[in-house]
Amino acid sequence: QQQVKQSPQSLIVQKGGISIINCAYENTAFDYFPWYQQFPGKGPALLIAIRPDVSEKKEGRFTISFNKSAKQFSLHIMDSQPGDSATYFCAASDMSLGRLYFGRGTQLTVWP
Amino acid sequence: EAGVAQSPRYKIIEKRQSVAFWCNPISGHATLYWYQQILGQGPKLLIQFQNNGVVDDSQLPKDRFSAERLKGVDSTLKIQPAKLEDSAVYLCASSSDTLGEQYFGPGTRLTVT
């Protein structure tokens, strides 16, 4: 059973545009929602994370929007750049346990 | 600060052979994770250690996979015998504790032929 569902599977955005990736979860015990960025041949790297006590978190061009009642969260990449081309994974965990449940990933391509 | 180190980076074996992967976590990190990432999917936890004790190995295929973390530092993951479906990238991650950010190593790409 997929604990975290992610969409779309792939995304093509023009340089300067907004990239939006969505995730949904079922387990109400989850209290930590990170987004990871992965380049080919590299391990995932933490991009930004949110706790459910806030509805939005912004770091530079990256914003997480969180809807606790709908059990959904999304990543917005503003002013997308070719260097943002990578695979993005949402994840969720119960922080007292530590284990991360990952979505299936979104392959983002930003073309010039 | 050095990151999570893994070796080898690539390994090709035939089915029914055995293979071992090594992970050296970030210094001082008590929690260590092994994830399996099949092509086109997100990482899936295989086993989680807290110091040298196992916290969660519910997703580890124990008939063929084993892992240990001697002295609460380095860890090895072994597959014996390997199956075709074990072809994947094996990622090691570490964190200061279960509440901390997980830092991932570069992974070991295993191909089973």
Side-chain angles (χ1 to χ4, degrees), chain A residues 36 43-46 98-100 102, chain B residues 3-6 22-27 29-36 43-51 69 72-75 77 89-97 100-108:
Chain A
Y36 281 82
L46 181 66
R99 172 182 180 171
L100 284 171
F102 284 85
Chain B
V4 177
Q6 291 188 245
W22 173 82
C23 172
N24 181 236
I26 293 173
S27 178
H29 278 192
T31 310
L32 185 146
Y33 308 82
W34 283 101
Y35 289 87
Q36 179 192 57
K44 182 185 80 171
L45 182 74
L46 291 174
I47 189 167
Q48 176 184 345
F49 291 95
Q50 181 71 18
N51 296 308
R69 190 182 184 196
V73 182
D74 294 5
S75 178
L77 176 69
V89 174
Y90 291 85
L91 295 162
C92 179
S94 71
S95 62
S96 55
D97 53 40
E101 173 186 344
Q102 292 186 30
Y103 295 85
F104 283 81
T108 297

Side-chain angles (χ1 to χ4, degrees), chain A residues 2 9 32 36 38 40-47 87 89 93-105, chain B residues 9-10 33 35 37 40-45 48 55-56 58-59 91 98-107 109:
Chain A
Q2 190 77 13
Q9 187 174 345
Y32 176 65
Y36 281 82
Q38 186 175 30
K42 305 289 186 182
L46 181 66
L47 193 61
T87 300
F89 294 95
S93 78
D94 174 346
M95 288 198 77
S96 65
L97 301 177
R99 172 182 180 171
L100 284 171
Y101 293 87
F102 284 85
R104 295 179 71 92
Chain B
R9 292 296 315 278
Y10 306 92
Y33 308 82
Y35 289 87
Q37 186 175 20
Q41 298 183 22
K44 182 185 80 171
L45 182 74
Q48 176 184 345
V55 174
D56 183 351
S58 58
Q59 299 299 304
L91 295 162
T98 59
L99 302 177
E101 173 186 344
Q102 292 186 30
Y103 295 85
F104 283 81
R109 181 176 296 276

